Amino acid sequence: MKKLSLPKVNFSTALAEAISGIGSEAARLAYTAAFADPLAVETNYADCAKAATLYAQPRVTTIDDPLVHGTLRKSDLTKLYTQYFVPEGKPARRLYQDIKVAAGGKCPLCGGVGHVRTLDHYLPKANFPLYAVMPTNLVPCCRDCNSEKLNAFAVVKGNQTLHPYFDHERFFNEKWIHARVIPTTPPVLEYFVVPPDDWHEDDKSRVRSHFVEYGLAEKFSVEAAADLPETIQTRRTTMSAHSAQEFSRYLAEKGQTATLPVNNWRRVMFSTLAADPWFCSQTFD
Ligand SMILES: [Zn+2]
């Protein structure tokens, strides 16, 4: 929903910092030897992310502890994150924090409904442990988005959620979130996805998957329900004598003047309200 700049720290540095926090010298050497060429791993990930083919990366599906990279097992790699990247007091902790704050506090996955509280592994570390501490696989996000996606991964191209670091600008700059007004008391905003006609089918499917995966219909509707009373109050008081057309213009302006991304729930809410003859003709007496 919101594009992020690439993390400032690269895989090589993240690995070195995490490894430097390991107590045993033998273990440090084993990790370092196994990662002879972090740049190649990082470049391959970036290429696949840009081509939306990360779903086809080799995954660990078994519950045992297989060798994944050189002499390193799945548990060695996930440990690198849980024991040497996240904990306070470890050298790599500052990198964890840097990546987290880079999103500016608002969760990029739900379009800022939630506040950033954690890092989400775009490819879950349980199935793709090779990328457990790769900065470009670590997406700052809110608790809701993190728990809703827990360990889920796509097995076909069209089911992949949006990748805030790598996905094309069109996903973030072209409108695909829409809404309708349900004429109840109070009125309700119902959100849904309509991707642009000229998009590739895979891209259309991806925004639908993202919308479902992160429960955006409900999240946006709840936000709108909390925000709507203010607009209704304005209509009831300062705008009570205005025509439906004037009220519609006022709503349209609110949507346009706000410096919000095109798929932001609030911007979509105002443009939807402005275009709804029923809502604009109500005086909410
Ligand atoms: Zn979120």
Side-chain angles (χ1 to χ4, degrees):
M1 300 287 297
K2 187 186 161 209
K3 193 159 173 66
L4 298 179
S5 308
L6 286 171
K8 289 192 175 69
V9 60
N10 63 21
F11 187 33
S12 177
T13 306
L15 265 176
E17 288 285 287
I19 292 169
S20 75
I22 301 174
S24 146
E25 191 187 357
R28 285 202 302 272
L29 291 172
Y31 275 103
T32 307
F35 279 105
D37 194 358
L39 182 61
V41 178
E42 187 174 36
T43 304
N44 175 56
Y45 181 97
D47 290 346
C48 292
K50 284 179 215 157
T53 57
L54 282 176
Y55 73 96
Q57 283 291 297
R59 68 181 74 99
V60 178
T61 49
T62 47
I63 49 165
D64 57 5
D65 195 17
L67 282 169
V68 174
H69 192 64
T71 57
L72 301 177
R73 295 188 176 275
K74 171 182 164 177
S75 62
D76 298 321
L77 292 162
T78 54
K79 224 160 54 181
L80 211 49
Y81 183 76
T82 55
Q83 294 186 20
Y84 304 109
F85 199 79
V86 180
E88 302 272 2
K90 289 292 177 188
R93 172 71 185 188
R94 69 179 175 84
L95 303 182
Y96 173 89
Q97 290 292 9
D98 286 351
I99 297 170
K100 218 167 79 171
V101 301
K106 290 181 185 284
C107 176
L109 302 177
C110 57
V113 170
H115 296 282
V116 170
R117 291 279 179 266
T118 186
L119 294 181
D120 175 60
H121 287 83
Y122 182 84
L123 290 182
K125 63 183 182 309
N127 303 95
F128 305 88
L130 182 57
Y131 307 118
V133 299
M134 182 181 287
T136 49
N137 191 44
L138 301 174
V139 178
C141 75
C142 71
R143 289 222 191 285
D144 271 5
C145 287
N146 186 240
S147 59
E148 262 154 47
K149 184 173 157 258
L150 207 62
N151 289 341
F153 59 85
V155 293
V156 295
K157 191 170 196 171
N159 284 359
Q160 296 176 107
T161 57
L162 299 184
H163 201 313
Y165 293 132
F166 291 107
D167 269 318
H168 195 275
E169 295 286 345
R170 67 177 159 271
F171 293 110
F172 309 97
N173 296 340
E174 294 182 35
K175 181 167 167 159
W176 51 271
I177 300 273
H178 293 255
R180 65 173 74 89
V181 182
I182 309 297
T184 46
T185 309
V188 168
L189 265 288
E190 197 177 85
Y191 289 83
F192 52 93
V193 174
V194 182
D197 275 342
D198 59 344
W199 280 16
H200 189 280
E201 283 309 315
D202 283 331
D203 290 345
K204 291 180 180 175
S205 168
R206 288 191 61 204
V207 289
R208 288 190 194 103
S209 294
H210 190 95
F211 189 76
V212 171
E213 186 86 55
Y214 293 110
L216 298 185
E218 198 193 338
K219 280 184 183 139
F220 291 172
S221 191
V222 167
E223 292 296 312
D227 199 86
L228 209 48
E230 190 187 318
T231 298
I232 290 175
Q233 183 62 10
T234 301
R235 177 56 158 156
R236 203 183 271 142
T237 54
T238 53
M239 294 206 75
S240 61
H242 289 67
S243 68
Q245 288 75 10
E246 285 166 332
F247 187 44
S248 169
R249 260 200 305 278
Y250 160 82
L251 293 166
E253 247 168 57
K254 284 209 81 159
Q256 283 158 8
T257 51
T259 53
L260 295 169
V262 67
N263 291 306
N264 176 274
W265 66 267
R266 199 158 187 269
R267 182 159 166 181
V268 172
M269 177 185 83
F270 281 120
S271 62
T272 302
L273 294 177
D276 190 89
W278 174 82
F279 185 83
C280 292
S281 64
Q282 297 299 298
T283 49
F284 302 105
D285 295 328

